[in-house]
Amino acid sequence: PRSMGDVKGVAFALWAPNARRVSVVGPFNHWDGRVHPMQQYGPGGYWELFIPHLEPGEGYAFELEDRQGQLLPIKADPCAQRLEAPSRAMAFVEGPSSHRWQDEAWMNDRHLRHRHTDPISIYEVHAGSWRRRPDGRFLSYRELADELVPYVADLGFTHVQFLPLSEHPFYASWGYQPLGLFAPTNRYGSPDDLRELVDRFHRAGIGVLLDWVPAHFPEDPHGLAAFDGTHLYEHADPRKGRHMDWGTLIYNYGRTEVQNFLIANALSWLERFHIDGLRVDAVASMLYLDYSRRHGQWVPNAYGGRENLEAVAFLQRLNALVYATHPGTFTVAEESTA
């Protein structure tokens, strides 16, 4: 949301360099892509549009035509801060947060709690299955604040670690196939409800870690796959761009815009939600080009080796920016290959 002069509305922007047309669609224009076409801005493949009189809470998505003018599946905003749950194409315009943080004491001192010499004990939890109501309903973020915070504190843990909270279409993936990296899943409440949960943990002296998934993404048609009719976020070569085990797609870490997208997401969790650390999922699958692949199913790097040099550089840059911009936070690599 923003104002252009005296007119309030919503500004939209999208990276789709190979699209012939991009439009903002939603209930406000009856999902008609002819009503609000976007304009190209600069040489980088960015599109933008200001729509007056729209307000927070309005649903929207993007309609794209590929280079040949063929209409693509409706696409969800890759940077949406709130998505329909379970994750579909429609996002919601998110207004400014109304949450007032009360965790100053924790934030000021957490660097002292995260020294390498200090012991930590982590309680790992999946928000949707830790506890349910008798009718099977999920606990909301605020109900988790009432019940999970004292539970973890009573057990003496120093940190809680949530399985991925980014919006995901397939609940049984436990969040490990995310499709809305910037959007906390709507299953348990709003972004401000999540802020209240983190705030309550911090006020109880407990740090909050989050599983973060930059290793792959699902192929759902409203997601990042073939986003503008080309392999924009993923590698075109399936020997580099597809996970053999999980049926998912691998980010092109060598593309600057893709790196920026992922790193911006990591930093946004630390900034917007006061997350104290990121547990990076499936790092081994990122580091090795031959991960779970037989001979002939992978492409060596420029030196003939099996290391994914682009992913290594991405992780190095990620760490440099996390530690530089958010002192007191930390990252953890999941190592599953023994």
Side-chain angles (χ1 to χ4, degrees):
R2 69 170 57 170
S3 296
M4 294 289 190
D6 297 329
V7 180
K8 292 183 178 181
V10 177
F12 297 87
L14 188 71
W15 179 53
N18 302 299
R20 193 167 87 172
R21 175 179 65 83
V22 180
S23 298
V24 183
V25 294
F28 57 89
N29 63 15
H30 306 288
W31 299 93
D32 189 338
R34 299 170 297 178
V35 179
H36 291 110
M38 303 179 77
Q39 302 298 314
Q40 279 194 292
Y41 176 77
Y46 295 92
W47 302 73
E48 65 175 16
L49 180 68
F50 175 76
I51 302 180
H53 311 306
L54 288 189
E55 297 180 348
E58 191 72 62
Y60 73 97
F62 293 108
E63 181 183 279
L64 291 80
E65 288 182 2
D66 66 13
R67 287 170 172 167
Q68 288 72 43
Q70 296 296 311
L71 203 60
L72 299 173
I74 295 292
K75 292 291 187 177
D77 182 357
C79 296
Q81 296 184 40
R82 194 168 183 180
L83 281 164
E84 203 174 6
S87 176
R88 296 188 179 92
M90 190 164 71
F92 300 96
V93 176
E94 184 71 6
S97 171
S98 61
H99 181 76
R100 296 294 174 261
W101 290 97
Q102 301 177 56
D103 62 349
E104 294 86 356
W106 170 271
M107 296 294 284
N108 290 336
D109 293 342
R110 71 177 174 184
H111 67 284
L112 301 176
R113 302 169 184 261
H114 291 162
R115 293 173 297 196
H116 290 173
T117 55
D118 293 335
I120 63 173
S121 182
I122 300 170
Y123 185 80
E124 183 182 27
V125 61
H126 177 242
S129 56
W130 176 71
R131 186 174 290 173
R132 296 280 184 93
R133 290 291 172 240
D135 61 1
R137 180 177 61 83
F138 297 129
L139 297 188
S140 69
Y141 292 122
R142 292 183 183 271
E143 289 171 327
L144 285 166
D146 292 335
E147 300 188 28
L148 181 59
V149 172
Y151 181 86
V152 172
D154 183 61
L155 290 174
F157 287 94
T158 64
H159 290 71
V160 64
Q161 175 190 323
F162 284 100
L163 273 62
L165 292 177
S166 293
E167 195 60 86
H168 49 287
F170 183 43
Y171 176 71
S173 77
W174 298 346
Y176 287 103
Q177 293 197 6
L179 211 131
L181 287 186
F182 288 82
T185 178
N186 240 343
R187 291 173 174 87
Y188 318 125
S190 71
D192 271 354
D193 293 336
L194 176 57
R195 290 183 178 94
E196 175 63 20
L197 174 59
V198 176
D199 208 344
R200 294 274 289 277
F201 269 115
H202 284 172
R203 283 144 56 190
I206 297 168
V208 181
L209 312 179
L210 182 65
D211 273 17
W212 184 60
V213 187
H216 64 135
F217 60 91
E219 292 186 278
D220 298 62
H222 62 284
L224 300 178
F227 189 80
D228 62 359
T230 67
H231 298 283
L232 193 62
Y233 287 86
E234 71 272 25
H235 280 282
D237 188 337
R239 294 175 298 173
K240 298 177 69 176
R242 177 176 293 277
H243 265 301
M244 308 302 290
D245 293 342
W246 307 322
T248 53
L249 301 175
I250 300 172
Y251 289 103
N252 183 352
Y253 304 109
R255 189 161 196 169
T256 301
E257 295 92 342
V258 175
Q259 270 205 28
N260 289 347
F261 169 74
L262 291 170
I263 290 174
N265 178 249
L267 299 180
S268 78
W269 284 104
L270 306 180
E271 179 179 339
R272 293 165 53 217
F273 297 99
H274 288 198
I275 297 298
D276 301 297
L278 299 172
R279 181 266 204 183
V280 184
D281 179 62
V283 168
S285 75
M286 299 169 64
L287 293 179
Y288 300 108
L289 296 165
D290 63 347
Y291 179 86
S292 195
R293 296 176 188 272
R294 295 190 299 273
H295 179 73
Q297 293 183 333
W298 59 282
V299 181
N301 63 34
Y303 303 100
R306 59 193 282 261
E307 296 80 11
N308 187 333
L309 304 178
E310 296 166 344
V312 171
F314 161 70
L315 290 169
Q316 290 173 332
R317 183 173 172 228
L318 167 73
N319 276 326
L321 287 168
V322 164
Y323 284 88
T325 60
H326 292 82
T329 63
F330 62 93
T331 64
V332 178
E334 182 208 15
E335 212 305 301
S336 58
T337 62

